[in-house]
Each structure stands twice: as C-alpha cells, then as structure tokens.
Amino acid sequence: MKTEIAGKTAETKSQSKSQIDRPENLGKPQMKWGSDVVAEVTRRLDLKYIALVPGASYRGFHDSIVNYLGNENPQMVICLHEEHAVSIADGYGKVTEEPMAVALHANVGLMHASMPIFNAWCDRTPMVIFGATGPVDAHRRRPWIDWIHTSKDQASIIRDYTKWDDQPASPQAAVESVLRANQIARSAPYGPVYICLDAGLQEAPLTEGVAIPDAARFAPPPPPAAPRESVLKVLDAIDKAKFPIILMGRVSRKQADWDRRVRFAEAIGAAVLTSSNDPSAFPTTHPLHFAAPCLRPSKAATALIEKADLVLSLDWLDLAGVFRLSLGTAQTQVPADKTVIHCSVDSIRTNGWSMDHQALAAVDIPIFAEPDQFVAQMLDEIEVKKTPVVKSRPEMKSLTHWNAGTGKSSANPGQPMSLWDMAMTMREFTKNRSVTFARLPIGWPGEAYEFDGPLSFMGNDGGGAVGTGPGHTIGAALALKDKGRLTIGVLGDGDYLMGVNALWTASRMEIPVMIVVADNRSYYNDEMHQERVAQARNRPVQNRWIGQRIDDPRVDLVAMARAQGFESEDPVSTTEALANALKKGAEVVAKGGRYFIDSVITPGYADSGPDQRSGG
Ligand SMILES: Cc1ncc(C[n+]2csc(CCOP(=O)(O)OP(=O)(O)O)c2C)c(N)n1
Ligand SMILES: [Mg+2]
C-alpha cells in the first residue's frame, strides 16, 4: 500500500474533452485539505462526470474538484434542479452501466433529489452520490444557516432506497468510504450509494499522512455465475419442454451479451418476450419474438404465456404478476402449472420498506446468477460441450408474428394524429438510422418497438416517476455523445413540463439530443383512472378531465425549449409535419445541436384500458 502525504501533487490525466469550464492558474495543486482527499480517490475511480447543483455544505469538495482536480475526471455537469442531477446520472448509468457521480447540497438538496434516487434504485442504476452536512462539530457552525442545513443521520432520508451510505469522520476513513461506495454501486444488482461529507472534515487542513491505495484492488467482483449442476438441470427441463418461453428482463447493454441471448434463444427454439419497462433485450422483430413488447402482458403475450409449459425468466421484473394476468390470480396463491425458472441476483437487494421486489413467484429452478453470465454458461454447454437440447418446436409453426400486418399510421393526410399515428411515424423514421430511444411515453404502442440492439431503448422510469424523462434523455445523450447515434427522448407533456429545466444542461454541455413531446395537453393517464373510478361508481364519466387537463392556459412547450438553447419550430399535428420535423431535427442533431418537437396528438392511448397501458 502506498502512503500519500499531505502536499501530494494532483495527478492530471489529460483528456481531449470539451474545454468548457477549465479553471485557470492552478499551478501544481497539492493535496492539502480533507476534501482534496475525497477528490483524489474519486479521480482514481474513473468517474467521468459529476452532476450537481452547488451549495455551501460542500464548498470544500467543490473547490477540490475545480482547483485540485482541474474540473476533469470528474467534470462538473451543472443542473438547474437536484432532481435533474440525479435523473441525468440515471440516464447516463442506464446506457453505460457505469456510475456517474452526483453532488447534492445538505438536507435540502437531498430532499429535492429523493424522488429520482428512488427511481434509480428501481432502475438498478449504479450511481455514486456525494452529499454534505454540518459542520458536525457544532462549535464550528456559522449561525443560522449551518444549523438548518445540518441533520443528524442525514442519509436516513434516502436509506430505504439506496444500497449503502456512510458519513466518514476523517480523511482516511473517507478514502475507504469512497472506495467501498464505488464497489457497492458497481456490484450487481446495481444501485445508488450515498456518502455524506462533514463540512468540517472537508474544510480542515490535512495534518497527517493519508494512505491512498491502488483503486484497482477495490474493484467489484465479477457477477455471479450458476453452478454447473443448475445449468444442466435447466437444459434438461428445456429439452423436455414442448413450448419454452424466455422472458427477457433486466439484462446487459453489451453487444456481445445481446448476440449471445439471440444465439441462446435460437439454440433452444424458445419463444421470447421483452418488456417495455426495461431497456431493449432482444431484437423485437426476430421470428421468435412473437408478441409485441408490452409493459404488462398484452392479450397476445398472455396467450403465449398460457401456451408455454416452461418459463425461463432472465431477471423479469414482475414474474408473479405475469402469471397473475394470464391465470387471473396471484401466482403466490395458485402457482402456475408450468416449469418456472427464474435467474436473478435481485433477491440480495430487497428490504422491508420498498415493495419494488414485486410479488413472490413460485419457482421450480431458482438460479442465483447474473442473467448474461447464465446465458453464456448455457451456450457454452450447448455449443462447446455439445449437451443435446431440442430446438425444433412444431407448436410454434402455426403462430403469427406481431409484426405481420402492423406498423402503419392510420391518419388521413392533413388530419389530426393519434398516439398510434405518431408512434408509427417515428417507427418509420428510425428505419435505417442508429437511434436510441432514451425514453418512450406511457401508452406508446408495442408495435412501434422495432429494436435491433442493446442501445435501441433505455427503458422507462422504473419508479413510475413523472418528471424524470428530460433528465434521463439528457444523461443518455451525454453517454452517447460521440457514438454516432441519434438520442431521442419521446416524453409525455406532463413529464416534459415537470422536468423541463433539465434541458438547459444539454445546451450548457453541448450535448446533441432530440426531444419529442407526445402532447395530449393532459395528465391523460390519470384521466383514464378517473374514468375507471367513475364507471365503477356509476358516476358521470365525462368529468374525468377535471383536475387533469394542462390546456387553459395552453403552455408554450416550444418556447420553453427555445429559451434553454434548443432549436424548434411550431408545433406539428399531422404525420406529414411530424415526419418533416424529425428529418430536420436529425440534421440539427447530427451537427451537434439540440432539437425539440411539440407533437400535438388527440388524447388517447394506442389500445386501451388503464390496467393494460397506464402507469400509477
Ligand atoms: C412524481 C409523480 N407524480 C405523479 C404521478 C402520477 N402520474 C402517473 S402518469 C401521470 C400523467 C403523466 O402525464 P404525461 O406525461 O403527459 O403522460 P400522459 O398520461 O398524458 O400520457 C401522472 C400525473 C407519478 N407517477 N409520478
Ligand atoms: Mg400528457
């Protein structure tokens, strides 16, 4: 272990990034303060960005990032709301499967950030969050302000939906804290972690040597694999099955893993379903992907599940819920009459506060392994060790594929468009383009999900968190900045308006991105809920819009985007105008710009019934 002493010179890894916000006259910065130590360790973790809203509680740490690290590795991503700082980190983490750092001011910044932290927890996104409090030593607090911004056990606000938290009491303890935070955030199942930095510790001069060990020795372990015995057991069950189906749930963003999942499904001739809640997991137009992706099983997906005699869940979010829809009862009470295999490591991350672990499924072969590891093991068994497995499935021959005959807009030229028409226009636009949908809105039809790679779609807000869409989109676009892809966030108008001032960060950071709003001028999801309640109570359904519409006065969505540095033109309300705007937007973004489209649609979802389509 190497011992560093106070006065160490900051290591500067030169990077050819944009030169914005470069501090001047740094000379050779020396590690002299408590917060310099935290910055020094953070630098070694390869955290490229730190999204933040500033605050005096971490002014010491802020100074260390600017004047000790030179605002590089991590580089500051300035945001207009703590919610956006976390949502941007979430969007970034979904793409990269690597944490972005976040810095939040005291208890107030943390409270602002709590909702998207919950969302990142539900998304299983790695994230290293720095917060601050104090000075913990009351004698060093400034009158009034330091007292209101000091809380005892500040992390308790978010402990129920973070993987770990700490408040180190010395620079040396902070070294360990940051290394551990990084390790935990990056270990599957991923999630946010929180380190609360005492303002006193940050601002105190170093008085003794601090040991900063090699961060490589504190790397997370590789994700767990399954015992061979279980692999063989699963293969045997698949071999005996007549109609196996794979529920491709929360899997990795790596192309090699994607390719293996395709080879695996083909090798065992299994039908495949994917969820529109999760990032793209399997080519949606593949011949084995019979039913269109859906949030909760659609009629077609339910029919497939009913047919199946073997269900292999690769960390499917709501396995028991799937059976509930297809069997009409909670799977816990009446277990499905099928062989159920569930591969997941999620069980080690559950707690008693959040029910996001979902209902308990009855499982015949539980596999505690990271799904892509397991798929690789299964493939190895089939392809290398030549363990025989049936792959021809006569029962599947008669099935029709969801993609046969769908995929067209039904709007007449010049007529107002529906969400379906808008979705089909966007589907057409994405053909032969490398597009990443950072988000898609509630009610978006599964038939528009034409995904061909692990970066086609980043999934929705795992926590059902309205207002995260803009931040997620910008975080994803930042991660994909130089990757030659067009990042598009398609958002509801309610989601857009709640998170709208996240857009400024995209302009500030020169992030190429397109945002398209499905503008029904309503919190339409909840109109559906009010309709359902009115129906159940035999009350007037026509009042469902009250307390839901966002149209009087009409908000100028375009002006809000333009005001923050996006290019945009007047709202579009026909499929032809939308198609033209998309083309224009793609040109702007290809040149490194930002483009906004207000796509006005008639209220309504693509197929209906709040149970199938709506969120909470
Ligand atoms: C933070 C938060 N507040 C409220 C809700 C409840 N809610 C769920 S969907 C929704 C409407 C969202 O409106 P919009 O984004 O325009 O989509 P639309 O329903 O119109 O398709 C609301 C208010 C929520 N899920 N999260
Ligand atoms: Mg809406």
Side-chain angles (χ1 to χ4, degrees):
M1 187 185 282
K2 207 163 86 189
T3 299
E4 315 277 357
I5 50 160
K8 175 195 178 304
T9 305
E11 280 170 31
T12 33
K13 272 195 226 161
S14 175
Q15 77 177 16
S16 62
K17 288 232 170 289
S18 98
Q19 290 302 301
I20 60 170
D21 298 347
R22 288 283 159 254
E24 295 173 348
N25 294 328
L26 292 185
K28 284 198 173 191
Q30 310 239 307
M31 190 170 77
K32 282 190 167 169
W33 305 90
S35 58
D36 288 347
V37 174
V38 182
E40 178 66 37
V41 190
T42 306
R43 152 74 46 86
R44 295 171 189 226
L45 302 178
D46 205 21
L47 297 166
K48 292 193 179 55
Y49 299 104
I50 183 162
L52 56 82
V53 174
S57 63
Y58 74 86
R59 64 187 188 178
F61 185 48
H62 195 119
D63 170 74
S64 298
I65 297 169
V66 175
N67 290 320
Y68 178 69
L69 295 184
N71 193 22
E72 231 177 3
N73 296 314
Q75 179 183 344
M76 291 180 171
V77 175
I78 179 167
C79 302
L80 299 185
H81 197 296
E82 285 86 357
E83 272 200 6
H84 309 329
V86 175
S87 290
I88 286 172
D90 193 1
Y92 179 92
K94 280 165 177 254
V95 172
T96 59
E97 301 180 292
E98 305 260 324
M100 189 193 272
V102 176
L104 301 171
H105 170 49
N107 44 15
V108 281
L110 183 62
M111 284 187 253
H112 255 187
S114 58
M115 186 276 266
I117 293 175
F118 172 67
N119 193 71
W121 161 265
C122 292
D123 278 339
R124 313 292 185 257
T125 308
M127 192 181 297
V128 176
I129 304 168
F130 293 96
T133 195
V136 171
D137 179 352
H139 293 292
R140 295 171 59 203
R141 276 180 216 150
R142 293 174 294 159
W144 179 64
I145 187 75
D146 278 350
W147 286 80
I148 52 172
H149 286 170
T150 300
S151 303
K152 212 173 275 174
D153 194 13
Q154 192 164 282
S156 64
I157 302 172
I158 52 160
R159 183 162 299 132
D160 289 322
Y161 38 96
T162 42
K163 282 185 82 182
W164 182 74
D165 66 82
D166 198 19
Q167 187 172 312
S170 70
Q172 187 63 70
V175 173
E176 179 174 328
S177 188
V178 176
L179 291 172
R180 193 194 300 274
N182 177 63
Q183 194 179 63
I184 292 174
R186 290 177 195 254
S187 298
Y190 304 138
V193 295
Y194 177 72
I195 302 174
C196 187
L197 300 170
D198 171 13
L201 178 151
Q202 295 175 58
E203 297 191 22
L206 293 181
T207 51
E208 52 189 28
V210 178
I212 303 185
D214 181 1
R217 298 188 70 191
F218 297 86
R228 180 157 189 241
E229 196 192 331
S230 301
V231 173
L232 292 176
K233 208 167 164 190
V234 173
L235 261 183
D236 184 51
I238 291 173
D239 195 44
K240 291 192 179 115
K242 285 198 165 49
F243 196 115
I245 187 165
I246 306 175
L247 305 182
M248 296 269 184
R250 293 176 291 202
V251 291
S252 99
R253 306 272 57 72
K254 294 185 188 66
Q255 184 66 46
D257 287 337
W258 170 280
D259 296 341
R260 268 194 288 270
R261 290 194 293 272
V262 175
R263 265 170 39 222
F264 172 56
E266 289 172 354
I268 62 168
V272 173
L273 266 186
T274 57
S275 165
S276 55
N277 208 49
D278 300 322
S280 42
F282 193 83
T284 52
T285 54
H286 188 285
L288 289 169
H289 197 299
F290 291 104
C294 41
L295 183 62
R296 299 187 193 112
S298 59
K299 280 196 189 109
T302 303
L304 271 183
I305 293 163
E306 275 168 1
K307 263 195 177 63
D309 57 349
L310 180 144
V311 174
L312 168 57
S313 148
L314 294 179
D315 201 17
W316 187 265
L317 174 65
D318 184 14
L319 184 57
V322 161
F323 294 124
R324 179 169 177 221
L325 285 177
S326 67
L327 303 173
T329 177
Q331 210 254 353
T332 323
Q333 287 133 39
V334 184
D337 183 19
K338 316 167 181 294
T339 304
V340 180
I341 304 155
H342 184 46
C343 172
S344 174
V345 291
D346 211 51
S347 56
I348 51 167
R349 209 232 41 174
T350 50
N351 65 36
W353 182 84
S354 176
M355 300 297 134
D356 73 297
H357 46 57
Q358 306 289 329
L360 187 64
V363 172
D364 303 290
I365 313 180
I367 305 283
F368 187 79
E370 196 270 330
D372 285 292
Q373 284 281 332
F374 177 66
V375 168
Q377 288 180 280
M378 294 286 284
L379 262 186
D380 182 63
E381 208 62 57
I382 298 167
E383 292 178 348
V384 182
K385 303 200 178 77
K386 304 285 180 204
T387 306
V389 63
V390 173
K391 76 167 205 177
S392 153
R393 309 283 177 190
E395 291 79 0
M396 289 182 194
K397 295 258 155 48
S398 57
L399 296 176
T400 37
H401 195 276
W402 69 268
N403 203 23
T406 60
K408 291 264 175 301
S409 154
S410 53
N412 293 322
Q415 292 301 302
M417 64 181 155
S418 64
L419 186 66
W420 171 275
D421 303 323
M422 175 183 170
M424 292 308 137
T425 307
M426 295 209 63
R427 178 179 170 175
E428 201 52 38
F429 163 76
T430 57
K431 288 205 160 86
N432 305 319
R433 283 179 207 266
S434 249
V435 169
T436 292
F437 284 110
R439 282 282 298 270
L440 290 167
I442 309 167
W444 199 248
E447 290 81 356
Y449 289 76
E450 199 173 323
F451 301 151
D452 60 3
L455 293 176
S456 295
F457 175 48
M458 288 306 118
N460 282 328
D461 44 335
V466 173
T468 51
H472 283 173
T473 303
I474 289 155
L478 176 59
L480 294 167
K481 200 173 175 188
D482 305 311
K483 301 278 189 283
R485 300 186 70 90
L486 167 59
T487 306
I488 308 179
V490 188
L491 313 175
D493 51 332
D495 190 25
Y496 170 74
L497 285 168
M498 207 183 277
V500 71
N501 61 341
L503 269 65
W504 179 81
T505 299
S507 300
R508 184 70 186 81
M509 298 290 293
E510 297 175 349
I511 301 167
V513 66
M514 194 196 297
I515 290 181
V516 185
V517 167
D519 182 8
N520 54 20
R521 298 154 315 283
S522 171
Y523 289 125
Y524 185 75
N525 170 75
D526 288 88
E527 283 197 46
M528 300 292 282
H529 281 296
Q530 294 320 125
E531 176 174 317
R532 200 155 55 120
V533 173
Q535 274 165 352
R537 297 178 178 184
N538 207 13
R539 288 178 174 169
V541 164
Q542 66 265 35
N543 296 329
R544 71 176 203 192
W545 64 274
I546 295 176
Q548 309 284 356
R549 292 282 163 94
I550 323 174
D551 64 354
D552 187 17
R554 181 92 192 263
V555 186
D556 190 338
L557 309 188
V558 166
M560 293 182 106
R562 281 193 185 138
Q564 299 177 82
F566 275 57
E567 280 186 52
S568 183
E569 293 191 10
D570 288 346
V572 294
S573 53
T574 64
T575 54
E576 307 85 73
L578 174 60
N580 287 336
L582 288 166
K583 263 186 228 140
K584 166 91 194 287
E587 284 162 21
V588 170
V589 178
K591 290 187 195 128
R594 285 145 293 287
Y595 201 75
F596 175 79
I597 301 172
D598 179 358
S599 173
V600 178
I601 53 168
T602 50
Y605 288 153
D607 73 8
S608 249
D611 281 340
Q612 285 304 309
R613 286 294 184 191
S614 60

